[in-house]
Amino acid sequence: MTRPAPTITDDNRGFWEAAHDGRLVSQQCSGCGQLRHPPRPMCPYCHSIEHELVELAGTGTVYSYAILHHPQHPAFSYPVIAVLVDLDEGVRLLSNLVGVEPGDVHIDMPVRVTFDETEAGMAVPVFEPMGSST
Amino acid sequence: MSAGLGGAAAIVGIGQTEFSKAAGRSETQLASEAIVAALLDAGLTTDDVDGFVSYTIDPVEETELVRALGTPEVRWSSRVPYGGGGSQGVLLHAAAAVAGGAARVVVAYRAIKARSGERFGRAKVSTRPTSAHSGSTASQWCSPFGVLTPASWMALNATRYMHAFGVTSADFGRAVVQLRDYAATNPNAHFYGRPITLEDHQSSRWIAEPAIRLFDCCQETDGAVAIVITASDRAQDTVAPIEIAAAGNAGLFGEEIASDHYRPNLEVMEGSVALATQLFGGGFTRSDIDVAMIYDAFTPVFLMQLEALGFCGFGEAKDFIADGQISPAGSLPCNTNGGLIGEGYIHGLNLTVEAVRQLRGTAVNQLDGPRTALVAASRTGVILQRPL
């Protein structure tokens, strides 16, 4: 089984559509320029409802992680490596780390984005150690 | 808010069902049984009740509940969001209602079949984007990554906490050993008669490495608890009133419940810091607290809240616990029923009931005459006090 498709809403659609196209984006407020994730319909700093979706470099570091052993869902291979990635532009993303042994994961590890397919032909951004080859 | 409510309302009754792994009856029945028991305890009847409050996530329909209980006229009702982190908010709502005159007798309840029904800990993929008012966006931002359970959401915060302060799984284990000691002498606890050693904890399997082992997880439980709240002047006529001396709710920008991943600094539970500022802003100090109930869905958040609430420095909960401070002889006995890890998980409201028992002098692991108790669950909390 492939991983479940993301749930699309009016507020998050741009993020997931970009991921489907192989791009990692963040909302950027058209009023004050703040980047923000998760997406939202209004800027909490200036209350502008206008935003753009800007492409991020896709590089960052592991802020934290967890090696998930149990319980298990048939859509995933275990252990699942869950990570919080602090991207270089300053937004944080929850994702998976791939292409690494669980025992080698560590906080502050430099990582870069890649994409993994989901059900329904969608894709999600996942991360691999910087310097690994794919 | 907390200072304004101080002493205006009191808990006059507590009730519960048995806690089990398979209740074999509906949540509505569980709630009804617990409420009738709480009213009996208070010396009141269902005719006296004109207000209800529970969690947004509670499955019991108010209409079904009223149909079962026969309450003649509900004048006020409310629901509190944020799941277990909002659990003590039912007391803030109830206290505000009776203090302001919107209701005279409010019943706060939580009925749950967390084991035989919908298990929080099951690996499930939801197609709803959010938790529908329990305070989490985990289903849209975690599900596609296999981060499917509260343990997996919270483990991300816990790993960072461990990294920041040099906390180990064994440090968590020492807390669990104490909680299981309390549970071992509590006949109502899932782990009654089953204490563990640190070695038992350390050999329990990983759920989310390196933060959460099996024995760090609360016990998914079936059951219900109910608490009766009235204004303090009316409470004086009851047998064993316990004042709601302070009540707080601190929901911070950027914070989520359980899937709280987007605050810049996840090493500290900042909502709990803000809660403590509210609760201890009105004349109470930490040294006034004789016994504390701290929401222990998973061991790491128990330690993190001890620190955030100000009972020890950041990163020092491991030493506070190793020094025996949460034990019966310590400076802050905690979760004397065994907590959610040892007694069972009625989503935090069984901790409130235990605090009332301690203040009344009727707990199974009774401390020596505690007068003031703290119940804290992430962003919500109360200080309860036995009148002199």
Side-chain angles (χ1 to χ4, degrees):
Chain A
M1 280 178 73
T2 49
R3 64 174 73 222
T7 299
I8 309 296
T9 69
D10 284 343
D11 292 331
N12 73 24
R13 179 173 288 108
F15 179 87
W16 293 118
E17 285 180 350
H20 178 253
D21 295 338
R23 294 181 299 119
L24 179 62
V25 300
S26 168
Q27 286 186 338
Q28 181 170 35
C29 176
S30 302
C32 69
Q34 279 272 355
L35 290 171
R36 59 194 197 225
H37 183 84
R40 64 208 68 178
M42 177 179 279
C43 175
Y45 304 101
C46 76
H47 295 166
S48 171
I49 56 170
E50 305 298 329
H51 71 263
E52 293 149 56
L53 293 169
V54 297
E55 186 159 356
L56 306 176
T59 51
T61 55
V62 171
Y63 178 77
S64 193
Y65 68 93
I67 313 296
L68 308 181
H69 295 271
H70 187 84
Q72 300 193 348
H73 187 281
F76 296 92
S77 305
Y78 288 83
V80 165
I81 305 174
V83 283
L84 294 175
V85 175
D86 276 351
L87 294 161
D88 293 342
E89 293 86 351
V91 296
R92 183 176 295 157
L93 210 62
L94 185 148
S95 183
N96 295 131
L97 201 56
V98 299
V100 62
E101 290 300 314
D104 292 336
V105 182
H106 60 87
I107 283 173
D108 294 334
M109 184 177 210
V111 295
R112 71 173 177 217
V113 76
T114 178
F115 290 86
D116 196 19
E117 285 185 12
T118 74
E119 287 178 353
M122 298 290 292
V124 295
V126 298
F127 289 82
E128 60 189 6
M130 196 81 87
S132 67
S133 58
T134 11
Chain B
M1 193 64 176
S2 57
L5 282 176
I11 293 172
V12 296
I14 52 174
Q16 66 172 78
T17 66
E18 84 286 1
F19 299 161
S20 75
K21 295 299 184 193
R25 54 204 194 276
S26 70
E27 287 96 341
T28 304
Q29 181 172 341
L30 293 169
S32 301
E33 292 177 17
I35 290 168
V36 167
L39 289 168
L40 186 67
D41 179 62
L44 297 170
T45 74
T46 51
D47 284 352
D48 296 308
V49 177
D50 60 357
F52 289 103
V53 58
S54 187
Y55 306 20
T56 51
I57 200 175
D58 191 276
V60 178
E61 284 285 348
E62 283 83 348
T63 47
E64 295 283 310
L65 188 61
V66 166
R67 204 184 335 256
L69 291 172
T71 44
E73 184 175 353
V74 177
R75 299 174 63 207
W76 175 92
S77 66
S78 176
R79 293 258 179 167
V80 182
Y82 301 104
S87 58
Q88 305 310 310
V90 297
L91 296 165
L92 173 62
H93 282 221
V98 299
R104 288 172 58 81
V105 175
V106 172
V107 172
Y109 64 93
R110 178 75 173 106
I112 191 169
K113 294 203 289 189
R115 181 63 180 224
S116 70
E118 178 85 353
R119 294 182 65 170
F120 287 108
R122 189 169 63 88
K124 57 188 174 297
V125 172
S126 171
T127 54
R128 296 187 311 192
T130 72
S131 61
H133 312 296
S134 67
S136 170
T137 65
S139 28
Q140 72 181 296
W141 298 112
C142 297
S143 270
F145 304 100
V147 183
L148 303 175
T149 62
S152 62
W153 308 336
M154 290 190 184
L156 288 160
N157 305 54
T159 302
R160 182 72 194 194
Y161 166 73
M162 297 168 79
H163 171 81
F165 298 113
V167 178
T168 66
S169 171
D171 291 322
F172 296 145
R174 277 179 273 276
V176 177
V177 168
Q178 178 60 67
L179 295 173
R180 293 287 296 269
D181 266 358
Y182 283 126
T185 49
N186 173 7
N188 191 49
H190 174 70
F191 284 120
Y192 176 52
R194 287 188 281 171
I196 60 166
T197 64
L198 183 58
E199 290 68 34
D200 294 332
H201 174 274
Q202 288 293 286
S203 57
S204 72
R205 68 172 162 169
W206 282 118
I207 301 299
E209 188 180 355
I212 297 177
R213 294 179 182 274
L214 180 64
F215 285 174
D216 291 305
C217 300
C218 61
Q219 277 301 305
E220 294 167 302
T221 301
D222 288 10
V225 301
I227 299 171
V228 183
I229 298 102
T230 72
S232 289
D233 53 352
R234 182 161 191 189
Q236 289 167 7
D237 301 330
T238 62
V239 175
I242 298 296
E243 281 184 358
I244 301 173
N249 175 46
L252 303 183
F253 173 66
E255 181 195 34
E256 293 186 25
I257 292 298
S259 56
D260 183 29
H261 300 139
Y262 302 103
R263 290 181 296 108
N265 177 8
L266 300 183
E267 296 160 6
V268 168
M269 287 180 66
E270 291 160 331
S272 296
V273 174
L275 173 68
T277 301
Q278 292 184 21
L279 295 177
F280 294 113
F284 284 98
T285 66
R286 275 90 177 164
S287 61
D288 291 326
I289 304 301
D290 300 313
V291 57
M293 305 296 155
I294 296 175
Y295 193 82
D296 56 326
F298 304 97
T299 321
V301 296
F302 176 76
L303 275 74
M304 293 175 78
Q305 285 173 95
L306 274 174
E307 296 167 8
L309 292 165
F311 291 104
C312 55
F314 291 107
E316 294 175 2
K318 60 182 183 348
D319 309 309
F320 189 79
I321 291 162
D323 291 344
Q325 302 300 344
I326 68 166
S327 74
S331 61
L332 189 76
C334 287
N335 300 19
T336 49
N337 59 346
L340 309 178
I341 285 174
E343 184 183 68
Y345 188 70
I346 312 296
H347 220 169
L349 211 54
N350 51 320
L351 294 177
T352 322
V353 170
E354 171 68 3
V356 171
R357 288 197 191 101
Q358 282 290 351
L359 299 180
R360 286 178 170 185
T362 59
V364 290
N365 296 314
Q366 184 59 50
L367 303 168
D368 183 18
R371 177 162 183 250
T372 308
L374 171 73
V375 190
S378 177
R379 60 161 49 196
T380 59
V382 290
I383 294 174
L384 304 179
Q385 194 165 57
R386 174 169 44 82
L388 285 174

